Amino acid sequence: MRIYTFIFLIFCLISCKDKQLAVADYNELIHYKSDTLAINETDISDILSGEVIQNISDTLIIDQFTESGFVKSEVNESDYIKLHQVLTSNQNTKDNSKCLPIYRDFLILKKKNKTVGIFKICFECSQLNYIDTFSNEERLITDENSFELINILGNL
């Protein structure tokens, strides 16, 4: 009987560990960053709050990002692996933050010119929200991963 209790406890501990975030397969990665000089945050408050993009089919607003004061840049393929590791790290927790995120950075994952995933990122709160066909998951980014992400995206 004790062996079953011990095995049950081990199983519980293993299953409670945060897993890596599963991300859709993509071949193009686009970064949108709000331009604080060209943007009027009250006009685009729905975008910054993340309310406009709730699921993967909400892509019409993405076409209007540049008109709304976002700067568009393509991420180099050489950064895909490092970026993937940072965003999907199991060190990023599922705990909720007390901060209300303001998403000033968006990563759009595309495959064959079709949006397959969207990352909404708030560096002030260290939060990211990932949306694809199957999931809508929020995570807190560790400080180390946040700095790494800033370094990768800051070089664009």
Side-chain angles (χ1 to χ4, degrees):
M1 183 67 169
R2 288 185 183 181
I3 189 78
Y4 293 118
T5 305
F6 181 71
I7 292 172
F8 177 74
L9 287 175
I10 290 175
F11 178 73
C12 287
L13 290 174
I14 293 171
S15 64
C16 291
K17 186 178 179 184
D18 284 334
K19 297 178 182 165
Q20 281 191 312
L21 181 64
V23 176
D25 186 33
Y26 60 92
N27 60 7
E28 182 181 8
L29 188 55
I30 301 169
H31 176 228
Y32 287 94
K33 180 178 180 59
S34 64
D35 182 357
T36 54
L37 298 176
I39 203 166
N40 183 344
E41 291 190 5
T42 51
D43 289 346
I44 62 162
S45 61
D46 288 345
I47 295 173
L48 296 176
S49 69
E51 292 177 20
V52 174
I53 301 174
Q54 293 294 320
N55 60 54
I56 197 70
S57 62
D58 295 336
T59 57
L60 292 177
I61 191 68
I62 295 170
D63 296 334
Q64 300 170 359
F65 272 7
T66 53
E67 297 166 12
S68 300
F70 283 82
V71 176
K72 176 183 177 180
S73 55
E74 289 199 29
V75 178
N76 292 329
E77 278 189 60
S78 61
D79 291 327
Y80 284 10
I81 293 172
K82 188 184 286 187
L83 196 57
H84 181 83
Q85 290 171 342
V86 169
L87 293 171
T88 63
S89 170
N90 62 357
Q91 294 174 347
N92 298 333
T93 65
K94 293 183 183 181
D95 297 336
N96 292 328
S97 171
K98 305 271 186 248
C99 174
L100 191 61
I102 298 174
Y103 299 110
R104 291 187 176 91
D105 289 84
F106 294 84
L107 289 173
I108 311 302
L109 288 66
K110 292 190 172 198
K111 177 118 185 183
K112 298 181 182 176
N113 292 325
K114 182 180 178 198
T115 301
V116 294
I118 301 170
F119 277 100
K120 301 184 281 187
I121 304 169
C122 175
F123 286 109
E124 289 80 14
C125 297
S126 294
Q127 289 189 52
L128 64 86
N129 183 293
Y130 175 69
I131 303 167
D132 67 14
T133 310
F134 304 107
S135 66
N136 184 346
E137 191 167 337
E138 291 184 8
R139 298 244 177 158
L140 290 177
I141 310 170
T142 64
D143 289 340
E144 181 181 321
N145 284 343
S146 184
F147 290 131
E148 187 69 31
L149 190 56
I150 290 170
N151 286 335
I152 295 168
L153 298 178
N155 294 332
L156 300 177

